[in-house]
Amino acid sequence: MTARGTEITEQLVARRYPQLGSLNARRIADFSGGNARLALALADALPENVSLAGLSDEELFERLFEQRHESDNNLREQAEVLSLVYSFSTAEDEEGVNELAVLGDLCEVSARRMARASNTLLERQIAQQRGRWRAVLPHAIANRLAADALQHIPVDEVLRTFEGNARERLLRSFSRRIGFLHTSPQAREISRRWLQPDGLLHKAMQLNELGAVMLENIAPIDCENVLQCFESQKAEILAGAKDIYKRTEVRRAISLISKVAYEPELFDRAVSLLLEIADEEGREARQDGARKRVQAFFQIRGSGTHATLQQRVDVLEACMADGDRHGLALDCLASSLKTGSFENTILAEFGARPRDYGARPFGEEAIAWLSRFLTIADQMAFSHDVSDRKACRGIIASQFSGLWGIEKMRPMLIELAGRLHADGGWLEGWRAVKGKLHYDKSRSSREGKAAKDDPELVKLGELLAPSDLEGQVRAVALAEGHRLFALDEEFDLDDPKKYEASGKRLAEEAFRLGQDVATDSAVFDAVVDDLFEQSHAPNRIAFGRGLAAASSNRRLLWEKVTERIKALGSANFDDCVLSGILREISQAEPALAQKLLDEIAEDELLRRRIVGLTPADNFSLEDFQRCERVFYAIGLEMRGVDNLLWRDNCSAISREAKVRLAHSILAREGGAAVLLRAFSMMLHRTDRSIDTLGPELRASAIQAAAIVIGNDDSDPGGTRDYDLEQVLNSALAYRGTDAEEKQLLDDLFSTMERRYGFFPHFEKAIQVIARWRPDAFLERLMAYASRKEDDDIHWIDNSLGERAPLDAVSAAELAAWCGRGNDVRRWKLLARAITVFEDDKEGGMRLSEQARSLVRMCPEPEAIIENFGLHLTPRSWSGNRSVHIEQRAAGLSELLRFEDSRVVTATEKLLCRAANIADQEREREQEEDAEREQTFE
């Protein structure tokens, strides 16, 4: 039973021991801190008709410890020493260390007497056991006894015992116990010694695994001492923040410093150190990084600190004034206005210190918090700095929905929205209001309620709605994001195609706005620089089409737009508006469109985008040749060159032209992967009975596959393996590419050589090669295996994925290959390269059909069965691996029914070996279980 609150514990005690009365039950529950097990043990130790009102906590503890027995000072002394460690063993470990003897030295008694004391504590239910492990529990008792032990035994003697005589496990356990004793002067002294310049744990960035665990264990004892330790090593921590090999040490430092920041009196110093670490980490916001931790301190819930509001405001304002930390300050400001979806990055547990997840402002305190940070955002939203204005207006808008849900915040929001609207408009706010109205309406619909708009919110939306052309363009045509349907006044929740219909209506509106802007030069000049921001704004193409549709001089329009792009001075920009303009020009003035595309092909900045800018409708040979010329000039700098081989709009281009381009792509560095992606897309959803690629492209495809497989690049997402699988399945289905196939196998096994037989990438591609060219693949594999030790071909023993390399090859084909060589080594090799075991319907394992067939066909079955043993132990599993080994052994048992005595004899031998392997694995698992049992967690 565990702590579940004093009220529940009080009820439990009153029900179990009604004779004690309600007042005693309440006193017991309060004393136990809500720990039901402790409370029941105390209640059981009390005589009837006793009053606890006049007893101190010390007297209650004595009653709990003695439990109607006579006072025993020796037992008490021994219990105190046993409590100094989190857990202890009652038996010698593998190295002959007796932990009871080590602990007994502290109270000058033998290991036998310490064992007797341990058993007495078990009988009194103030200790627990798991196997050979014991622990004094609950912690409230153990901590009290341990604190008394430190009072009675000199600190020097305690340290001499645990640092000199005890093994690492006992030292770790001791550090964990004293981590709960933050009120003990002796524990604080030990912590001080360990963290002082010549102490055991001072060099926090150089600790081994034991030291790291001990540092985390003792950190709760004296938070200021820990912080001073990290401050003294600041230079090393900051240097480590840039070193990938020191990431673990830096992460540990960040975690402990963040926990220290819980205390208001240490918050400023802790945050100062975290900010310096964040400076060194850069803008990368790792979940366990300093930047994220600092940002979390500004949440109204789950901040992990009880720092005052003013402390947090001071940190925010200091960061705002620091140019290097300005971006972090904006992130913190956004966190401070959140009213939900909080990120909990700091655990509340910290030794025995009473902690929660940080301050939790409620009621007026919460209003004061939100009002204070909203005021800061308000001031910055009217800043002279354009980037600050935009960022803070966006922050307020992003948190508008949650803030609006707090009724007392509405007047401030309405007043602020009015001022923002008067100061150039607040389109982000209008979109936020529309989003809130849409959400409320959708929720009402889901709940089966009649939709009813909030009149205040409707009125605010009307106020913020863009009234001029520029505002409407920014609000609709340049609107960013994926949920723009909230802006659609005609959005119909009951329409099954509501999102598609809404997108079409908004695109039509953007087209009309483009037409209006085409005749209003002032608005055009006001919005033109914002047309190319790198963000997802789905209506930009429609807006560009509208511009061109209503323009009286489309050539001049194009020149004005491209001049503005070049004035930005960056090669990174969004080209959707350009694409829209060209699409419309190609419809209205095809000759002009072709001329502009010719100019793009010669333009240093725009030519790399020519594939995407060329209108897809009526894509001609001339368009293809233009793109091809650009590719010859700049190579893979040209974006989307692969589209020229597979897009539907390129279907009219001749095969000869595509072959020519494919050869050119393949000749470029990095072109093989691009070509594979193009062929993979070309083959998507095609009829595999048709030779879609044709002879020339098939040859190029296999060449590209050989290059990709021959490279040492990893494939973490599996996309290249997918492309290889699709392309090789098509290319190898036909003959006529012998030279390319030889190169493919050469590169595959050459890579195998370089990787010492370990080849985790492109597993599906290898399976495809083996399926379509089994003989060639197996001959290469046999040659490779003949030159290598067994350990160097372990990649075929157990597939790291779902299927083994030869799974797609029939048993008949495999047997035929083996028969041609007349060499038993071939059969043994196959036994390694197939999937031997598969799941059966009853949840166990059985032999695969391929394995059974090979046993029947093999002239020397005992050789192949012996190699089945390589598959007994899985590389990945859930639960106990010994169980999986036994299940696979059970699957082998069906071979005992074969008539061939050689099969039966070999199987019996393997089953005996499997039993030994399972026993060894079970012993290992038991050792791991014993290790876990020490923790009593």
Side-chain angles (χ1 to χ4, degrees):
M1 302 181 70
T2 55
R4 296 186 61 193
T6 55
E7 292 183 6
I8 295 176
T9 303
E10 178 187 342
Q11 295 173 18
L12 183 60
V13 172
R15 180 175 298 176
R16 293 275 187 94
Y17 300 90
Q19 71 276 13
L20 292 178
S22 60
L23 292 178
N24 283 342
R26 183 173 304 167
R27 179 78 171 88
I28 291 171
D30 289 339
F31 173 76
S32 67
N35 188 305
R37 182 177 176 275
L38 179 59
L40 292 177
L42 177 57
D44 188 63
L46 295 174
E48 296 183 11
N49 303 319
V50 66
S51 174
L52 304 181
L55 297 181
S56 65
D57 284 354
E58 181 64 29
E59 290 170 319
L60 279 175
F61 180 79
E62 294 297 335
R63 296 227 179 177
L64 174 62
F65 185 80
E66 293 170 4
Q67 297 186 9
R68 303 185 185 181
H69 298 277
E70 292 184 5
S71 178
D72 186 340
N73 290 333
N74 290 331
L75 176 63
R76 175 64 180 264
E77 181 183 20
Q78 292 152 21
E80 289 175 358
V81 171
L82 291 173
S83 298
L84 281 174
V85 291
Y86 199 82
S87 65
F88 55 90
S89 173
T90 58
E92 290 185 354
D93 64 17
E94 295 76 8
E95 298 178 356
V97 175
N98 190 321
E99 294 187 356
L100 287 177
V102 174
L103 295 172
D105 286 345
L106 286 170
C107 54
E108 300 178 323
V109 300
S110 66
R112 181 175 296 178
R113 290 190 62 184
M114 294 298 286
R116 188 179 306 150
S118 169
N119 290 334
T120 302
L121 296 178
L122 281 173
E123 293 169 1
R124 296 187 183 185
Q125 299 185 46
I126 51 179
Q128 293 183 22
Q129 74 176 73
R130 292 179 184 171
R132 66 187 176 101
W133 300 102
R134 305 285 189 275
V136 179
L137 290 170
H139 289 306
I141 294 176
N143 293 342
R144 192 182 193 103
L145 290 170
D148 289 344
L150 292 178
Q151 283 184 320
H152 300 147
I153 306 172
V155 169
D156 288 338
E157 187 175 340
V158 172
L159 290 178
R160 186 164 51 251
T161 296
F162 285 106
E163 292 181 11
N165 301 334
R167 294 286 182 178
E168 288 186 358
R169 199 216 70 80
L170 209 58
L171 180 58
R172 180 190 294 112
S173 189
F174 170 64
S175 72
R176 186 165 190 186
R177 172 59 64 205
I178 65 171
F180 290 94
L181 307 181
H182 62 277
T183 59
S184 165
Q186 293 77 23
R188 295 172 70 87
E189 171 63 15
I190 293 171
S191 170
R192 185 192 67 77
R193 291 192 189 186
W194 278 353
L195 292 173
Q196 65 188 10
D198 58 345
L200 189 65
L201 303 177
H202 175 70
K203 296 182 178 180
M205 294 292 289
Q206 301 175 27
L207 297 175
N208 59 16
E209 182 181 355
L210 172 64
V213 172
M214 290 176 62
L215 178 60
E216 292 181 8
N217 286 342
I218 70 162
I221 300 175
D222 189 339
C223 295
E224 184 170 13
N225 199 14
V226 172
L227 183 57
Q228 286 176 347
C229 176
F230 283 122
E231 287 173 332
S232 69
Q233 299 172 68
K234 181 173 67 174
E236 193 171 354
I237 296 173
L238 297 182
K242 294 181 177 181
D243 186 350
I244 189 172
Y245 298 105
K246 286 289 185 179
R247 181 164 291 182
T248 298
E249 291 82 356
V250 173
R251 183 168 57 239
R252 180 172 60 245
I254 292 170
S255 175
L256 290 177
I257 295 168
S258 301
K259 291 179 178 179
V260 168
Y262 180 92
E263 309 294 343
E265 59 271 17
L266 299 177
F267 177 79
D268 295 336
R269 288 166 56 192
V271 170
S272 176
L273 185 51
L274 287 173
L275 285 171
E276 291 194 61
I277 298 173
D279 292 342
E280 298 301 319
E281 288 180 335
R283 296 189 177 275
E284 181 185 358
R286 294 199 313 270
Q287 192 64 30
D288 55 0
R291 190 181 184 94
K292 275 286 186 182
R293 294 298 176 99
V294 172
Q295 193 176 338
F297 290 149
F298 289 84
Q299 295 178 163
I300 197 171
R301 295 285 186 275
S303 65
T305 178
H306 276 264
T308 64
L309 173 60
Q310 187 58 49
Q311 283 180 290
R312 304 187 212 212
V313 169
D314 290 343
V315 171
L316 179 65
E317 290 179 341
C319 290
M320 285 290 188
D322 187 328
D324 294 333
R325 297 174 179 171
H326 197 74
L328 175 58
L330 292 173
D331 292 338
C332 293
L333 182 60
S335 293
S336 70
L337 294 174
K338 277 188 173 183
T339 58
S341 301
F342 303 110
E343 294 184 27
N344 186 16
T345 59
I346 302 174
L347 295 176
E349 293 81 6
F350 199 51
R353 289 182 176 272
R355 285 199 165 186
D356 51 26
Y357 289 99
R360 292 174 58 86
F362 281 102
E364 293 302 322
E365 191 178 358
I367 299 301
W369 170 293
L370 294 171
S371 298
R372 184 70 179 275
F373 285 112
L374 186 57
T375 298
I376 295 174
D378 177 346
Q379 294 168 351
M380 295 189 66
F382 292 93
S383 168
H384 295 297
D385 187 301
V386 176
S387 61
D388 277 354
R389 285 169 60 93
K390 183 175 181 179
C392 286
R393 289 172 183 235
I395 288 172
I396 299 169
S398 66
Q399 306 305 328
F400 176 87
S401 181
L403 293 170
W404 185 263
I406 304 172
E407 193 167 348
K408 289 190 176 181
M409 292 298 299
R410 292 182 183 181
M412 187 175 182
L413 284 172
I414 292 172
E415 189 271 336
L416 173 58
R419 288 188 288 111
L420 289 172
H421 177 67
D423 186 48
W426 189 34
L427 295 177
E428 305 96 322
W430 175 71
R431 285 195 285 266
V433 170
K434 297 289 288 184
K436 175 66 173 169
L437 287 168
H438 178 84
Y439 172 79
D440 291 345
K441 188 179 296 184
S442 299
R443 185 177 61 181
S444 297
S445 176
R446 288 195 304 270
E447 295 173 354
K449 300 177 182 178
K452 185 178 180 181
D453 289 335
D454 181 341
E456 277 191 306
L457 200 56
V458 171
K459 184 177 180 181
L460 184 59
E462 292 172 350
L463 170 68
L464 298 177
S467 56
D468 58 0
L469 180 58
E470 179 185 345
Q472 291 169 2
V473 169
R474 296 185 184 280
V476 177
L478 304 186
E480 301 172 4
H482 296 274
R483 300 177 59 86
L484 300 186
F485 48 81
L487 307 179
D488 181 15
E489 298 289 348
E490 301 178 33
F491 189 84
D492 183 2
L493 288 168
D494 298 325
D495 184 355
K497 297 183 178 181
K498 49 185 174 288
Y499 299 113
E500 180 182 344
S502 177
K504 184 177 180 180
R505 283 191 294 270
L506 289 173
E508 290 171 352
E509 176 65 17
F511 181 85
R512 288 192 292 271
L513 289 170
Q515 290 178 308
D516 293 339
V517 171
T519 59
D520 192 325
S521 59
V523 174
F524 177 87
D525 292 338
V527 302
V528 65
D529 287 342
D530 298 323
L531 300 180
F532 315 107
E533 288 190 2
Q534 287 187 290
S535 58
H536 177 67
N539 294 322
R540 282 178 178 165
I541 289 179
F543 179 75
R545 289 182 53 242
L547 280 174
S551 175
S552 59
N553 189 334
R554 296 184 178 93
R555 153 67 75 175
L556 180 60
L557 170 66
W558 178 259
E559 291 175 353
K560 289 172 64 176
V561 171
T562 52
E563 283 174 7
R564 295 306 307 169
I565 290 176
K566 293 174 182 177
L568 295 175
S570 173
N572 298 316
F573 58 90
D574 186 283
D575 57 16
C576 287
V577 172
L578 289 182
S579 182
I581 292 173
L582 278 170
R583 287 189 193 183
E584 194 63 29
I585 293 177
S586 69
Q587 297 293 325
E589 298 183 59
L592 175 60
Q594 289 298 310
K595 187 170 181 59
L596 293 177
L597 287 169
D598 288 339
E599 293 174 4
I600 291 172
E602 302 299 326
D603 189 281
E604 193 74 23
L605 180 63
L606 297 179
R607 62 179 178 174
R608 67 188 62 184
R609 299 168 181 265
I610 192 165
V611 175
L613 290 176
T614 303
D617 297 337
N618 301 319
F619 190 87
S620 65
L621 178 60
E622 182 181 357
D623 294 326
F624 180 88
Q625 292 172 340
R626 182 188 301 110
C627 293
E628 194 176 25
R629 288 195 302 273
V630 173
F631 176 75
Y632 291 149
I634 65 174
L636 292 176
E637 288 183 32
M638 189 174 85
R639 301 182 182 185
V641 63
D642 56 308
N643 295 349
L644 298 175
L645 295 175
W646 65 267
R647 282 259 173 103
D648 290 341
N649 61 313
C650 300
S651 58
I653 306 304
S654 69
R655 179 171 295 274
E656 291 74 14
K658 290 185 177 182
V659 168
R660 184 176 64 247
L661 178 61
H663 288 165
S664 299
I665 294 174
L666 186 61
R668 303 280 178 161
E669 183 177 357
V674 174
L675 195 59
L676 278 177
R677 167 54 38 171
F679 289 153
S680 177
M681 295 300 296
M682 184 188 298
L683 294 166
H684 185 60
R685 293 182 179 177
T686 58
D687 185 350
R688 294 305 170 91
S689 65
I690 300 174
D691 186 7
T692 302
L693 294 176
E696 299 90 346
L697 292 183
R698 277 193 281 109
S700 295
I702 297 173
Q703 286 179 304
I707 293 171
V708 169
I709 289 177
N711 288 335
D712 286 326
D713 298 337
S714 62
D715 185 31
T719 55
R720 287 188 182 175
D721 193 23
Y722 173 82
D723 291 340
L724 283 165
E725 179 190 23
Q726 300 302 308
V727 173
L728 289 176
N729 254 326
S730 178
L732 295 177
Y734 300 88
R735 293 289 182 172
T737 51
D738 293 347
E740 290 79 14
E741 291 172 24
K742 179 181 181 301
Q743 186 62 50
L744 176 64
L745 288 169
D746 285 346
D747 287 348
L748 171 60
F749 284 92
S750 175
T751 303
M752 215 77 75
E753 294 270 3
R754 292 198 306 273
R755 292 179 174 270
Y756 303 100
F758 185 68
F759 199 69
H761 312 305
F762 312 136
E763 184 180 60
K764 293 177 181 177
I766 294 173
Q767 292 162 358
V768 170
I769 296 170
R771 174 195 170 197
W772 287 107
R773 300 292 183 268
D775 287 354
F777 179 83
L778 288 168
E779 290 294 343
R780 290 298 187 94
L781 183 58
M782 189 68 203
Y784 176 84
S786 298
R787 298 193 308 272
K788 298 294 178 182
E789 298 292 335
D790 281 349
D791 288 344
D792 284 338
I793 57 171
H794 58 78
W795 66 279
I796 65 169
D797 292 347
N798 292 75
S799 173
L800 292 179
E802 297 178 355
R803 297 161 53 197
L806 299 180
D807 274 6
V809 184
S810 71
E813 288 179 295
L814 294 175
W817 174 76
C818 290
R820 284 193 291 274
N822 193 26
D823 186 346
V824 72
R825 291 182 305 163
R826 293 190 170 217
W827 294 96
K828 294 176 71 173
L829 180 65
L830 292 186
R832 303 187 66 169
I834 63 170
T835 296
V836 174
F837 300 100
E838 61 187 16
D839 295 332
D840 63 20
K841 295 179 180 178
E842 287 72 35
M845 302 290 288
R846 66 184 180 190
L847 281 179
S848 68
E849 179 59 37
Q850 204 176 37
R852 288 194 299 270
S853 298
L854 288 176
V855 171
R856 292 190 191 98
M857 297 176 185
C858 182
E860 299 181 37
E862 58 268 44
I864 200 171
I865 292 172
E866 180 184 0
N867 268 11
F868 282 176
L870 298 169
H871 298 263
L872 285 171
T873 304
R875 290 188 178 182
S876 60
W877 68 95
S878 60
N880 293 335
R881 185 155 68 162
S882 59
V883 174
H884 291 273
I885 296 172
E886 290 171 339
Q887 287 179 334
R888 294 182 178 208
L892 281 171
S893 299
E894 67 179 277
L895 295 179
L896 296 174
R897 298 193 294 270
F898 274 50
E899 295 180 358
D900 191 331
S901 61
R902 295 174 301 169
V903 173
V904 174
T905 301
T907 303
E908 289 174 342
K909 183 179 178 181
L910 181 55
L911 287 174
C912 182
R913 178 180 160 204
N916 291 332
I917 295 173
D919 289 342
Q920 292 172 4
E921 182 61 26
R922 192 174 294 105
E923 288 178 10
R924 186 193 64 79
E925 291 167 350
Q926 289 171 350
E927 290 176 2
E928 287 185 353
D929 291 342
E931 183 74 18
R932 283 193 295 269
E933 285 173 355
Q934 299 173 26
T935 64
F936 279 83
E937 293 174 346

